[in-house]
Amino acid sequence: MAASDILKPESLAKVLSEHGVRPTSQRETVYQSLLNKRTHPTADEVFARVRETAPTISLATVYNCLDVLVQNKLVRAVNFERAPTQYCANLAPHAHFHDEAGRTLDIEMPTEVIDQLRDLLPDDFDVKHIEVNFHGRAPQND
Amino acid sequence: MAASDILKPESLAKVLSEHGVRPTSQRETVYQSLLNKRTHPTADEVFARVRETAPTISLATVYNCLDVLVQNKLVRAVNFERAPTQYCANLAPHAHFHDEAGRTLDIEMPTEVIDQLRDLLPDDFDVKHIEVNFHGRAPQND
DNA sequence: GAACAGAATTGGAATAATTCCAATTCGCAA
DNA sequence: TTGCGAATTGGAATTATTCCAATTCTGTTC
């Protein structure tokens, strides 16, 4: 599946099951909301989005769903200093650029760069995840 | 000054002034506590440490001092997912490895690796800071 | 060295993000 | 279809951090 695909309901459920996530309507809605609009929303923002289609969903459930999606590697959690966690449905290896205006941008990261970072560590380190965050000022028209 | 130096009181005050930080006893104590013991304490842990020598210091002041030190680049703030901010007096460019047991280790990062990361971005991006975090399992005897 | 002004500190209250909990509801397998 | 474990819900609780108003300190000027 290409990262930018918007899934039909039935394939959405299928993707969830295939990743070991029991497909519930809440999980589908939360996941779909991340796929539809590729910004980097916080849990609160996801909550606001999904309320439109699922008005009875609770914030606790949004947190639960996001956790499950992250744990099953369908979604990435991104953390910047003193900011609430943001969520990202882009699964291709990438870094994040964090704008002073608050924007978050995906930055492609080729495999060889990732490998080089991995090589900074001794072999007996077992690396689960590498996180690269840039902070600064991005040009306006981007 | 080498990163591992433990400063005499008078040079400590001098380092602070030179960095534009008005040297107060609280700031000195907080900074010294980070220099003395090179773990990656949270604000609470720093609070606990400095209370031993400065029993009347308040948690708010510890936060203030840490902020001032970070803003004046004498200390780095490190953030991991869903964990309180940790503080680090190692100013050499380095990444962090975050153990599943909760340990945080400094990982040296050569300039050329940093440059390569910088090159992932278009030239018109103004990069203030690059953060590299590893997550995983580190060998026990380290 | 006293007086002043601005900066820093303090303790407690307030906020923001996230987690916890107990009760209900749901989804799947027998 | 019934039952069981998993998921959801709403609200309360927790945690980390910030805010605020009152006090104290620091450095400067006379």
Side-chain angles (χ1 to χ4, degrees), chain A residues 67 87 116 128 135 137, chain B residues 82 116 126 128 135 137:
Chain A
D67 275 356
Y87 298 87
Q116 263 200 335
K128 295 263 163 53
H135 299 252
R137 196 182 287 269
Chain B
R82 269 160 216 183
Q116 263 201 335
D126 175 20
K128 296 262 162 53
H135 300 252
R137 196 181 286 271

Side-chain angles (χ1 to χ4, degrees), chain B residues 6-37:
Chain B
I6 292 175
L7 301 172
K8 297 194 202 78
E10 64 273 22
S11 42
L12 182 58
K14 202 166 147 234
V15 169
L16 292 180
S17 320
E18 280 167 4
H19 280 76
V21 178
R22 203 207 277 209
T24 66
S25 71
Q26 290 88 340
R27 288 172 180 174
E28 284 172 22
T29 314
V30 166
Y31 186 39
Q32 187 76 76
S33 87
L34 290 174
L35 290 174
N36 281 351
K37 207 174 156 215

Side-chain angles (χ1 to χ4, degrees), chain A residues 67 77 79 81-82 85 87 97 100 105 107-110 113 116-118 120-121 124-139 142, chain B residues 67 77 79 81-82 85 87 97 100 105 107-110 113 116-118 120-121 124-139 142:
Chain A
D67 275 356
N79 286 271
E81 188 162 344
R82 267 158 218 186
T85 303
Y87 298 87
F97 186 92
E100 287 175 345
L105 304 174
I107 306 295
E108 269 187 78
M109 195 159 47
V113 174
Q116 263 200 335
L117 290 175
R118 173 62 188 83
L120 295 177
L121 298 172
D124 54 355
F125 278 62
D126 175 21
V127 180
K128 295 263 163 53
H129 181 61
I130 304 178
E131 201 187 332
V132 178
N133 294 327
F134 298 92
H135 299 252
R137 196 182 287 269
D142 218 40
Chain B
D67 274 357
N79 285 272
E81 188 161 342
R82 269 160 216 183
T85 302
Y87 298 87
F97 185 92
E100 287 175 346
L105 305 174
I107 306 296
E108 269 188 77
M109 196 159 45
V113 173
Q116 263 201 335
L117 290 175
R118 173 61 189 84
L120 295 176
L121 299 171
D124 54 356
F125 278 61
D126 175 20
V127 180
K128 296 262 162 53
H129 182 60
I130 303 178
E131 201 187 333
V132 178
N133 294 328
F134 298 91
H135 300 252
R137 196 181 286 271
D142 219 43

